[in-house]
Amino acid sequence: MLALALGACAVRPPRVEPESAAFLQARAESMQAWPAWSFEGRVAVRDGKEGGSGRIRWREDGGTYEISLRAPVSATTWVLAGDAVQCELRGIAPQPLRGVDPGELLARETGWHLPVAHARSWVRGLALDPGTARLGPLRDGLPRLLEEDGWAVEFREWSPAVDGRPPMPQRIIARRAPWEVRLAIADWSLQGAD
């Protein structure tokens, strides 16, 4: 009996609903047509006690990225750039700081917990791992909630499809205790594959 009870308590991967899997697969396929993208907006991060906010500009092209974060009062700018292999953070020390995980490097050096690998997907309405992510019910064909790796991601607002470009997230709130990340995207730019 004890073995059966303990077996019932084992951690199971979340069940992915068919509607979630179908949406995430279709969204991933449609976003492949737009390998170069960028946006500008505002970002706010909190760790449950303290937080910070500022302007954000994120550019990506073929797997390389550059994320600029600018504090509103001090006008200090940090630039996080890299690819799938390595990253560097400029604006903290006289020389660029290097690492492998951009989110970890940013958190260690600035205290900002921005899950870069996940956010790269979320800002495009995708999941980092579609095989385990779950979506809440779709409204007007778009998700309002995505859950993965302990993060609950609310898509509060989407821009409409324009000139062949798909709808894109404009307001996102991602939470995983004690962290919270808020993004308000003002301007999207998508470039199609040649």
Side-chain angles (χ1 to χ4, degrees):
M1 290 288 274
L2 182 59
L4 287 174
L6 290 175
C9 294
V11 175
R12 295 180 191 148
R15 185 170 160 247
V16 180
E17 300 296 329
E19 185 181 47
S20 295
F23 174 86
L24 291 170
Q25 179 66 32
R27 181 75 182 181
E29 289 171 4
S30 73
M31 291 310 297
Q32 287 177 359
W34 310 95
W37 52 271
S38 64
F39 70 80
E40 293 185 23
R42 295 184 322 273
V43 62
V45 295
R46 295 194 54 79
D47 67 3
K49 297 177 185 173
E50 297 180 359
S53 64
R55 304 285 308 160
I56 184 169
R57 185 180 71 227
W58 190 318
R59 291 189 312 223
E60 183 150 345
D61 189 357
T64 62
Y65 58 86
E66 182 177 276
I67 306 165
S68 297
L69 301 162
R70 183 181 172 103
V73 176
S74 66
T76 302
T77 300
W78 304 322
V79 178
L80 183 63
D83 56 26
V85 178
Q86 63 183 353
C87 59
E88 70 176 29
L89 179 61
R90 300 185 299 269
I92 300 288
Q95 299 297 322
L97 303 168
R98 292 185 171 79
V100 176
D101 182 320
E104 181 181 295
L105 178 62
L106 188 65
R108 183 180 71 233
E109 298 299 333
T110 69
W112 282 34
H113 292 273
L114 176 63
V116 175
H118 287 81
R120 175 182 181 267
S121 296
W122 299 339
V123 297
R124 296 179 295 146
L126 301 170
L128 181 64
D129 182 0
T132 60
R134 294 181 51 187
L135 292 179
L138 302 183
R139 191 173 352 150
D140 299 326
L142 297 168
R144 298 295 179 207
L145 178 67
L146 179 144
E147 296 174 341
E148 71 173 334
D149 292 339
W151 287 92
V153 183
E154 292 180 57
F155 296 100
R156 294 258 175 119
E157 187 177 336
W158 289 77
S159 68
V162 177
D163 297 329
R165 185 191 85 179
M168 299 299 290
Q170 284 191 289
R171 290 184 56 224
I172 301 169
I173 301 174
R175 294 181 179 98
R176 184 175 83 179
W179 303 301
E180 179 180 271
V181 177
R182 291 176 174 257
L183 283 165
I185 299 170
D187 185 37
W188 266 106
S189 175
L190 299 178
Q191 295 178 352
D194 293 332

